[in-house]
Amino acid sequence: LARPGTYTVTVNANGGGVKQTATVALTVMAAGRPNFTLSATPASLSLVQGTQANVAVTTTVSGGFNNAVSLSVSGMPNGVSVSFDQNPIPAPGAGTANMTVAVAGNTPVGVYPMTLSASGGGVYQAVAVTLSVASFAISASPVSLSIAPGNQGTATISATAINGFNYPISLSASGMPTDTTVTFNPATIPAPGSGSSTMTVAVARDTPPGTYPLAVTASGGGLQQTLTFTLTVLPATYTLAVTP
């Protein structure tokens, strides 16, 4: 058995020719010594930019522990803030604090491992909390259509959920020339936001020929993504018949 004391544990990670090293403080307690445990529920969050969520931080004491427990978080990316509704948790150190994680609108999309720490009475505990900043991406295939007046064409609009994004995505278009309509089937890609929709572009007979940039907009979970789709209206063609 390990002797009571504080030890530094080195964790090495290797991949792709890159090596990273992290250290973790390990405190070995003597049997029956005052102590507390730390937990976070949930231990992982998936949030879109501009939103927030709560984590229940719970401490449980043992061995006669009777001290206030201070809480802190490290490893947050830029644009993420963390606050507690009570900090420290007052003596004897057992209780639950509400931790609010707020993601700013400019926080980069990604997965971020954070460390929740608690200390009091000479005891230190830490648990991992993973934050995923979620989003979605859209694309079109093809990215342009050439259509003669009085005709229509179709393209596929695809959406892909990123980092646990889990919202329906509604589709719309703008910038169409006179009497040209754009419809989507389906108009809403259901949650989690990964799927495709058929976009139909119908050009009226009197639409002037030319090239028109259309804005295809996808909205979901408070986020909005836009891509440019090019519509070319061809010159009108006619056939002439003489009878008799």
Side-chain angles (χ1 to χ4, degrees):
L1 297 177
R3 293 182 179 180
T6 300
Y7 302 87
T8 299
V9 179
T10 301
V11 180
N12 298 313
N14 295 278
V18 178
K19 181 179 180 180
Q20 301 286 353
T21 300
T23 58
V24 178
L26 171 64
T27 301
V28 178
M29 312 294 295
R33 180 177 174 180
N35 196 8
F36 69 87
T37 59
L38 173 68
S39 64
T41 305
S44 62
L45 294 171
S46 180
L47 299 175
V48 298
Q49 296 158 328
T51 64
Q52 64 182 37
N54 296 324
V55 175
V57 178
T58 302
T59 54
T60 303
V61 301
S62 61
F65 185 93
N66 188 12
N67 292 274
V69 175
S70 298
L71 304 171
S72 63
V73 178
S74 60
M76 296 91 71
N78 291 335
V80 172
S81 61
V82 175
S83 60
F84 300 91
D85 66 348
Q86 62 169 342
N87 189 17
I89 296 175
T96 299
N98 189 56
M99 181 176 77
T100 301
V101 181
V103 179
N106 60 349
T107 302
V109 174
V111 178
Y112 303 96
M114 304 187 300
T115 300
L116 169 65
S117 303
S119 60
V123 180
Y124 172 87
Q125 302 286 359
V127 295
V129 177
T130 301
L131 170 64
S132 298
V133 179
S135 186
F136 68 92
I138 60 170
S139 61
S141 180
V143 296
S144 63
L145 287 173
S146 296
I147 305 174
N151 292 277
Q152 65 182 31
T154 61
T156 299
I157 305 299
S158 299
T160 304
I162 302 172
N163 291 341
F165 184 90
N166 190 17
Y167 296 90
I169 296 174
S170 59
L171 301 171
S172 62
S174 60
M176 294 82 74
T178 303
D179 294 332
T180 292
T181 60
V182 176
T183 57
F184 298 91
N185 184 26
T188 299
I189 296 173
S194 288
S196 62
S197 175
T198 299
M199 180 178 73
T200 301
V201 182
V203 178
R205 291 184 179 275
D206 59 349
T207 300
T211 299
Y212 303 90
L214 310 185
V216 178
T217 301
S219 304
L223 301 180
Q224 188 175 88
Q225 307 283 359
T226 301
L227 61 82
T228 299
F229 186 90
T230 303
L231 168 64
T232 300
V233 178
L234 302 173
T237 57
Y238 302 93
T239 59
L240 176 66
V242 177
T243 303

